[in-house]
Amino acid sequence: MEVAVRVVQAACTLCQRVQSSLLLPASASASGSVHSKIDRSPVTVADWGVQAIVSWLLSDCFQDENISIIAEEDDETLSSSDGAALLESVVAAVNGCLIEAPKYGLRFPEKELKAHDILQAIRRCSSIGGPKGRFWVLDPVDGTLGFVRGDQYAVALALIEDGEVVLGVLGCPNYPMKKEWLNYHQRYYRLMSKVSPPTSGSWHKGCVMYAHRGCGQAWMQPLVHDFGKLDWRNSREVRVSTVSDPISATFCEPVEKANTSHSFTAGLAHSVGLRKQPLRVYSMVKYAAIARGDVEIFMKFARAGYKEKIWDHAAGVVIIREAGGVITDAGGRPLDFSRGVFLEGLDRGIIACSGPLLHHRIVGAVDASWNSSTL
Ligand SMILES: Nc1ncnc2c1ncn2[C@@H]1O[C@H](COP(=O)(O)OS(=O)(=O)O)[C@@H](OP(=O)(O)O)[C@H]1O
Ligand SMILES: [Mg+2]
Ligand SMILES: [Mg+2]
Ligand SMILES: [Mg+2]
């Protein structure tokens, strides 16, 4: 757990730097560019950079070159003949970040990593998962769309043992320690206003949340800022909301209507008596928001045929559970992390709630309205 938190803290620094360079007007540098994958989803230097840095640091910390990791990205584009400039940007981003490893309590490499070390670290994340053994699961940048838009995203690292998620760490660089500062952040980034931060230090911007299965506790610490150092005394416990009346509850969901049915969730919300506007947030920050008690419900109903991947959920699931929440598929069954890269057998959608009462109502409402929906 300790290693995973340190590694995610370091990876978040890399993301913050790449995101700043992306947001510079007319950024022409390769590190500030957005690329498109075969499924037309975006990928950036940060996605590859984080995958390389996490893979390198984990094998360094555990002195194991064959450590098992499943992660989202591959090295195909970077290894291709026209990927050289991009690869150079990834190498620079990773080395620029590894130099600061000691401030997270980690060791930096004896020599700067070369292109070939980076490719190897990315390629190493090709475990296939399954029901037995131990493997790490990484989404280097979850919510890449939010990331390139200067909005919310998460670095998500989990450990799976015999098909169960045993630990999860969620780095949320733009999710402030206090909910009230969220508006401030969005104003600051969306409008690039020149107002100064609400407080000094790192507490106004970014946090890392983490939990270990069976502890019944989940934790949050501020992101280590430019001149800071990781200090465990800054960690504090988080807990789900105590609200169980739908009238006072808020639900959150994906931003993109391609990723969920907003009309179906609006119908569900109406039928269970939710009155508040949904909070639409990119990435697993939605899971962080439930665990921390900022919202009470998360719902996602992807289009038929879309198979959810384990790295989009593993870290968030264990954090929500240990913080006191309930998360299942729409049939009320736990998500199954034991069947490879995909959450095979997922029934219709995902429902996470701060407690069993709300969860029971939403699951019931899905059953009542499913057949008349167009999903
Ligand atoms: N078609 C479709 N349907 C459902 N889900 C999809 C789909 N395509 C992609 N994805 C995955 O969604 C991840 C982002 O999910 P979110 O729930 O955070 O959505 S959103 O960004 O707020 O719209 C996103 O994760 P990242 O690729 O890490 O950003 C994808 O893995
Ligand atoms: Mg993702
Ligand atoms: Mg991703
Ligand atoms: Mg992606």
Side-chain angles (χ1 to χ4, degrees), residues 132-183:
K132 283 273 158 268
R134 212 177 200 212
F135 56 91
W136 294 90
V137 184
L138 170 69
D139 193 338
V141 176
D142 181 44
T144 305
L145 203 57
F147 177 78
V148 301
R149 291 178 177 167
D151 209 306
Q152 298 297 327
Y153 64 98
V155 174
L157 179 63
L159 182 68
I160 295 191
E161 237 171 47
D162 295 336
E164 296 281 341
V165 188
V166 292
L167 81 82
V169 183
L170 270 182
C172 309
N174 287 338
Y175 192 35
M177 294 284 285
K178 281 192 178 168
K179 183 185 174 188
E180 299 76 61
W181 293 336
L182 194 57
N183 283 337

Side-chain angles (χ1 to χ4, degrees), residues 266-347:
L268 283 180
H270 181 75
S271 69
V272 298
L274 296 169
R275 299 274 170 80
K276 299 195 176 182
Q277 282 299 309
L279 189 72
R280 291 188 178 145
V281 185
Y282 297 98
S283 83
M284 254 182 281
V285 164
K286 292 183 278 292
Y287 288 16
I290 299 259
R292 218 172 77 166
D294 288 349
V295 296
E296 285 75 25
I297 299 160
F298 162 68
M299 308 189 252
K300 179 179 179 183
F301 296 89
R303 63 174 162 76
Y306 179 77
K307 284 166 87 174
E308 297 283 352
K309 286 147 193 139
I310 56 172
W311 53 71
D312 284 322
H313 307 281
V317 164
V318 65
I319 293 171
I320 286 184
R321 277 208 204 113
E322 296 306 317
V326 184
I327 176 161
T328 67
D329 66 15
R333 278 188 295 272
L335 309 189
D336 184 356
F337 290 92
S338 74
R339 294 168 67 185
V341 167
F342 297 105
L343 289 177
E344 301 285 355
L346 185 89
D347 183 356

Side-chain angles (χ1 to χ4, degrees), residues 42-198:
V43 60
T44 69
V45 165
D47 300 70
W48 288 301
V50 167
Q51 186 157 321
I53 215 168
V54 171
S55 165
W56 191 87
L57 285 169
L58 287 179
S59 39
D60 186 64
C61 288
F62 297 112
Q63 297 286 297
D64 180 1
E65 294 231 328
N66 298 316
I67 201 159
S68 288
I69 310 177
I70 296 195
E72 182 183 351
E73 310 305 338
D74 61 47
D75 68 316
E76 209 177 303
T77 305
L78 298 178
S79 303
S80 70
S81 49
D82 46 6
L86 199 53
L87 176 58
E88 218 174 282
S89 301
V90 176
V91 174
V94 169
N95 283 316
C97 183
L98 278 178
I99 258 183
E100 294 175 21
K103 91 181 191 192
Y104 309 103
L106 297 164
R107 195 179 73 94
F108 53 67
E110 277 148 26
K111 283 189 273 178
E112 284 206 335
L113 300 189
K114 300 271 188 285
H116 123 103
D117 304 310
I118 303 281
L119 291 175
Q120 198 180 40
I122 293 174
R123 223 179 284 135
R124 197 161 40 208
C125 304
S126 55
S127 169
I128 52 166
K132 283 273 158 268
R134 212 177 200 212
F135 56 91
W136 294 90
V137 184
L138 170 69
D139 193 338
V141 176
D142 181 44
T144 305
L145 203 57
F147 177 78
V148 301
R149 291 178 177 167
D151 209 306
Q152 298 297 327
Y153 64 98
V155 174
L157 179 63
L159 182 68
I160 295 191
E161 237 171 47
D162 295 336
E164 296 281 341
V165 188
V166 292
L167 81 82
V169 183
L170 270 182
C172 309
N174 287 338
Y175 192 35
M177 294 284 285
K178 281 192 178 168
K179 183 185 174 188
E180 299 76 61
W181 293 336
L182 194 57
N183 283 337
Y184 164 78
H185 167 79
Q186 285 174 345
R187 230 181 30 245
Y188 185 66
Y189 273 85
R190 291 228 177 97
L191 307 175
M192 289 294 180
S193 65
K194 294 261 188 317
V195 275
S196 49

Side-chain angles (χ1 to χ4, degrees), residues 219-231:
W219 301 89
M220 170 168 77
Q221 62 177 221
L223 212 66
V224 173
H225 60 91
D226 275 354
F227 305 104
K229 203 169 186 298
L230 193 147
D231 184 346

